[in-house]
Amino acid sequence: MSATSRVRPASPRSPESATLDKAADENFPVAPFFLPRAWRDDLMAVYGYARLVDDIGDGDLAPGGADARFLGVAPDRADDRLAMLDAFEADLRRVFDGEPRHPLLRALQPTVRHRSLTPEPFLGLIEANRQDQLVARYETYDDLLAYCELSANPVGRLVLAITGTATPERIRCSDAVCTGLQIVEHLQDVAEDLGRDRIYLPAEDMKQFHVQESDLTAPTAGASVRALVAFEAERALRLLNEGTPLVGSVHGRLKLLLAGFVAGGKAAVHAITAARYDVLSGPPKPTKPRLLREVGATLRGEG
């Protein structure tokens, strides 16, 4: 089977195709055209995995129950997210020792073998989604960082592993970037997350800025909410800046890819700022020109 067919299923209506199509909505490029074909295929295979586990955790699977059937989950339990995550973990383990059932995990298996990837980062993403079923509020910023260690940082570590560039210092920088990106996404999605009864704004910070949960249900953000969002956005920007040296530590097309990750986060922070920190009226999204400017600044090593 060709690399293309294993990451781009033939049927545009298949659930796995719908999952991969979501790459276009991310704040950062997932597998841009300028990368070597092998990297693109491997990155899309990892993206398909990460997107699917998030969709299971969020209850955003394609209608029809195909994912549950692939994973061997009975139809009457297809809406049980913890049961689905357990079945998904069992299928992940088949990637490393057996024959997985889900098409996106079958697509992942050649990448895992060729790149000698380990189960740990994949398991971290599953554990983050289990946590989402059990933990709906975070008391402190440190609690939120511990969640990001599971929900975001494994993705950057997988990118470094796929490209053969992992070192302790690059992993440290990558973790900072990925956590920053996760916090930015949480800020963009405050209203959407609240609709799922989740709040990723630390309770201690909400108290500091005199923000009640009821304030987050308003159609537009009041002054207290805006001040809180500005505070958290600045934290995210500091993390992105802390991780920016990762870009200068590599060369060639990988440098451009990593610059895109960092720039995507910084452009999203700019979009939040341009919206005057009102994230309740709709998720602020970066414009393409702003993203390109941020890519250029990151490549030049500007803060």
Side-chain angles (χ1 to χ4, degrees), residues 40 170 174 185 197 210 230 241 249:
R40 296 204 313 270
R170 285 175 179 150
S174 172
E185 183 178 332
D197 192 30
H210 308 288
N241 286 334
S249 76

Side-chain angles (χ1 to χ4, degrees), residues 69-214:
R69 290 194 297 275
F70 286 135
L71 296 173
V73 175
D76 62 345
R77 300 196 70 197
D79 292 331
D80 184 335
R81 298 178 193 179
L82 287 172
M84 287 286 289
L85 289 167
D86 287 346
F88 192 67
E89 179 177 336
D91 211 30
L92 169 67
R93 295 188 184 278
R94 295 184 195 102
V95 170
F96 293 88
D97 184 21
E99 292 296 330
R101 299 170 179 172
H102 197 287
L104 286 174
L105 290 178
R106 290 200 297 270
L108 179 64
Q109 192 168 47
T111 294
V112 163
R113 291 176 173 173
H114 179 61
R115 303 295 181 183
S116 300
L117 303 181
T118 63
E120 286 73 22
F122 298 103
L123 290 169
L125 295 174
I126 293 175
E127 193 56 36
N129 279 275
R130 281 203 184 98
Q131 187 165 314
D132 275 334
Q133 313 314 308
L134 305 171
V135 180
R137 307 291 188 274
Y138 290 85
E139 182 63 30
T140 69
Y141 182 59
D142 285 343
D143 292 339
L144 184 64
L145 293 181
Y147 170 75
C148 293
E149 179 70 24
L150 296 171
S151 67
N153 298 1
V155 176
R157 295 183 180 207
L158 285 166
V159 170
L160 294 177
I162 285 171
T163 57
T165 54
T167 67
E169 178 59 17
R170 285 175 179 150
I171 289 172
R172 186 193 70 78
C173 288
S174 172
D175 285 353
V177 170
C178 289
T179 295
L181 288 170
Q182 179 77 91
I183 292 173
V184 170
E185 183 178 332
H186 287 160
L187 295 177
Q188 291 174 306
D189 295 340
V190 167
E192 179 182 338
D193 289 334
L194 188 62
R196 296 187 169 108
D197 192 30
R198 298 177 191 165
I199 297 177
Y200 295 102
L201 299 165
E204 63 179 7
D205 298 342
M206 291 177 64
K207 182 177 180 180
Q208 176 184 343
F209 287 91
H210 308 288
V211 172
Q212 305 293 323
E213 288 193 14
S214 58

Side-chain angles (χ1 to χ4, degrees), residues 29-96:
V30 173
F33 70 93
F34 56 78
L35 292 178
R37 182 58 173 269
W39 283 8
R40 296 204 313 270
D41 289 344
D42 288 339
L43 289 170
M44 282 303 295
V46 166
Y47 175 79
Y49 172 90
R51 184 69 266 167
L52 179 59
V53 71
D54 280 354
D55 286 349
I56 292 173
D58 290 340
D60 286 341
L61 293 172
D67 294 294
R69 290 194 297 275
F70 286 135
L71 296 173
V73 175
D76 62 345
R77 300 196 70 197
D79 292 331
D80 184 335
R81 298 178 193 179
L82 287 172
M84 287 286 289
L85 289 167
D86 287 346
F88 192 67
E89 179 177 336
D91 211 30
L92 169 67
R93 295 188 184 278
R94 295 184 195 102
V95 170
F96 293 88

